[in-house]
Amino acid sequence: MPAKNTTSISLAGLGAKGLNTQAQSSTLSLEFLTEANNVVYDLEGRMGPRKGVKQITKPVTTGAIKSIGEFVKSDRTREYYAGTGAKIVKLNTATAPDTLVEQSFSGSPQTISDSNWQWVNFNNEFWGVQSGHKVINYDGTNWYDIDDLGAYAAPAGVTTFDPNCALGEFGRIFYGGITEAKGTIYYSDNLIGEKLNGGAAGSLDLKTVWGNDEIIHLASLENKLVIFGKQNIVIYSGAINPATMVLEEIIRDVGLAGRDNVVYVGADLFFLSYEGLVSIRRVTQTDGRAPVEGLSTTVRNDLTRLLTQATVENIKSVYYQKEGFILTLMPDDDKAYVFDFSVGKMEFPRITTWTFNLEPLSALYTFDGKLYFGTADSLAEYDGYYDVTLTDSTSSFGTEGACTTAGGTWDGSKCWTTTNADYSWLFQTPWSDFGDQVFAKIIKTGLITVTGGQGAAATIQLFKDYEEGSQYSKTFNLTSDAVNYLYGAGPSSSQASLYGKAKYAAAAGPREYKVPLARTGKTFRIKMTFEVKGNYSSLITSNLLAKKGKVR
């Protein structure tokens, strides 16, 4: 009987559409993934690892950093402030390592009990609001509580002005969510954010609009004020003059899951509802209602379950413009969801998840393109390909010379060393019969083309016929294992070339790894895990070499 021919099974487009945990796995194409952790997509749509969470400041002992803000000064320079426990701190980059400098308040400051501030720039000043606290203000020189400002005028009938959210737009500050009237908007006089009584200041009670809902977040879109509640969204036009603005739309039964989960992406306003990520698109309204489109339907049940179990005040979302994705941090579940919009006008984002060695609690995308994270005791940056922590190693390296020799940073009295933590990126495919529902397949070899990843290992697991415990695993070292390369020899004499001397082979770059698999079945699932040890890696192509088996 003649030997059966070996054929190639192309896995083109593998994972190109991101996670789908909503549909039955066996019904999905290989463009979807059932797991995709610590995965990002590069500009060519290839999968690779997220960057590291790199601690950049010395730790503080005042508490977790739950909020970070960028203060735009009158000269257009920037300063960065954060809330940590009962304190406000300023990022100081003039030291090595960076430090967080505690701020002091003038006047008769309140007792701060949490650090979950929302930061607002308005009229060359910096404002902070959080539930159960007075508004705070920084004029570029001094910090004050709002009632210590000379022009402060409390709204009529309000004992304690403690809004949960604010918006500095249209020449005034809008506030919402105060304890005494959670459904009422208060707006300041023109250009005087603390003057809430007299002049052009005023208020708007939404009880007749949406009943007993609560204001969670305020946003602007064109000349419109968008008011997010827990259960409804209200849009007013003509917000430049709030005394005459007009109710334009009421979006019922769609609310906001947490104040800090509204982001701008181009001309769109994205927010996290209790059913997932939603976009309010600026198109012609129909039936008196703004079109609302769910964008996370492929992970709806998983995401909804997490949202119903989490404390939504701890969930934070940020748009990382440099790479075109929305990052939603869910620290209660040690996880983040990533919604990637980087490919043109993609109708739906590619979704992945991230996990961390150093858990971020808050995030800020800066004007100069940095992504800062607040952690349990420090600020970190999205940078490099390790998760990095700073440690006080003075007890081991107590002099400047010893510290320098150990690779640490001497700050004048202490030695700070870094610890690099590896992490992995991984993906898992749905079950697939590779287009043949009748015959078994004898999978002989995997041809995996990867660029980068020097010094790390990769593992491929092959599962068969819906048997979760049936995996066959093979680990290979990136750029250093004894494998064949199609063009040019590898970096050691044991790495043979299929076409002779590596005349045109680059020292670094894409390499094809030939991985023996030897697995027989009708339906397969593939899982691949790549270590990250300081270098970027990216999956370029995947193919399987197989022979046709028997009818099963």
Side-chain angles (χ1 to χ4, degrees), residues 41-45 265-268 270 281 319 321 323-325 339-350:
Y41 292 87
D42 67 16
L43 294 177
E44 297 182 28
V265 180
D268 281 339
F270 290 76
R281 297 186 181 275
Y319 178 54
Q321 186 179 15
E323 296 184 15
F325 61 73
F339 305 93
D340 185 312
F341 292 90
S342 61
V343 179
K345 295 183 178 180
M346 185 183 295
E347 186 175 0
F348 291 93
R350 297 174 294 200

Side-chain angles (χ1 to χ4, degrees), residues 159-367:
T159 303
T160 303
F161 190 64
D162 58 350
N164 172 64
C165 59
L167 171 71
E169 287 283 356
F170 311 117
R172 68 189 73 238
I173 300 183
F174 295 81
Y175 300 93
I178 74 168
T179 302
E180 297 172 36
K182 292 182 179 294
T184 299
I185 292 175
Y186 297 90
Y187 51 90
S188 73
D189 195 4
N190 296 322
L191 300 179
I192 311 175
E194 66 269 32
K195 186 177 179 181
L196 295 153
N197 197 338
S203 63
L204 176 64
D205 188 347
L206 296 176
K207 190 170 184 178
T208 59
V209 178
W210 66 12
N212 293 319
D213 206 350
E214 303 175 13
I215 299 171
I216 304 300
H217 185 97
L218 302 170
S220 63
L221 200 61
E222 301 168 354
N223 185 29
K224 299 173 184 178
L225 177 65
V226 184
I227 306 163
F228 291 89
K230 286 185 175 181
Q231 300 167 333
N232 305 277
I233 301 170
V234 174
I235 301 176
Y236 280 86
S237 60
I240 196 164
N241 185 355
T244 59
M245 62 184 180
V246 176
L247 176 62
E248 183 172 289
E249 302 172 22
I250 305 175
I251 305 171
R252 300 192 183 277
D253 302 319
V254 180
L256 177 63
R259 181 196 65 192
D260 299 317
N261 294 300
V262 179
V263 298
Y264 292 92
V265 180
D268 281 339
L269 191 62
F270 290 76
F271 67 96
L272 193 65
S273 78
Y274 285 90
E275 294 190 357
L277 188 69
V278 179
S279 168
I280 300 178
R281 297 186 181 275
R282 297 300 86 200
V283 296
T284 303
Q285 65 184 45
T286 57
D287 298 326
R289 180 182 174 122
V292 177
E293 180 180 6
L295 297 171
S296 54
T297 54
T298 58
V299 296
R300 180 191 178 279
N301 287 358
D302 286 349
L303 189 53
T304 298
R305 175 179 52 81
L306 294 177
L307 288 169
T308 56
Q309 295 173 352
T311 302
V312 294
E313 289 77 15
N314 293 337
I315 300 174
K316 315 281 184 178
S317 296
V318 63
Y319 178 54
Y320 186 46
Q321 186 179 15
K322 183 182 290 186
E323 296 184 15
F325 61 73
I326 296 172
L327 174 65
T328 297
L329 302 173
M330 308 184 79
D332 291 356
D333 296 284
D334 301 319
K335 178 181 284 190
Y337 272 88
V338 181
F339 305 93
D340 185 312
F341 292 90
S342 61
V343 179
K345 295 183 178 180
M346 185 183 295
E347 186 175 0
F348 291 93
R350 297 174 294 200
I351 302 173
T352 63
T353 61
W354 291 359
T355 54
F356 308 92
N357 294 302
L358 185 62
E359 186 74 40
L361 306 176
S362 57
L364 172 72
Y365 180 69
T366 70
F367 178 77

Side-chain angles (χ1 to χ4, degrees), residues 408-430:
T409 300
W410 184 257
D411 70 358
S413 62
K414 292 183 177 181
C415 181
W416 297 92
T417 57
T418 57
T419 300
N420 296 332
D422 303 339
Y423 54 97
S424 297
W425 65 279
L426 64 88
F427 65 86
Q428 179 176 272
T429 70

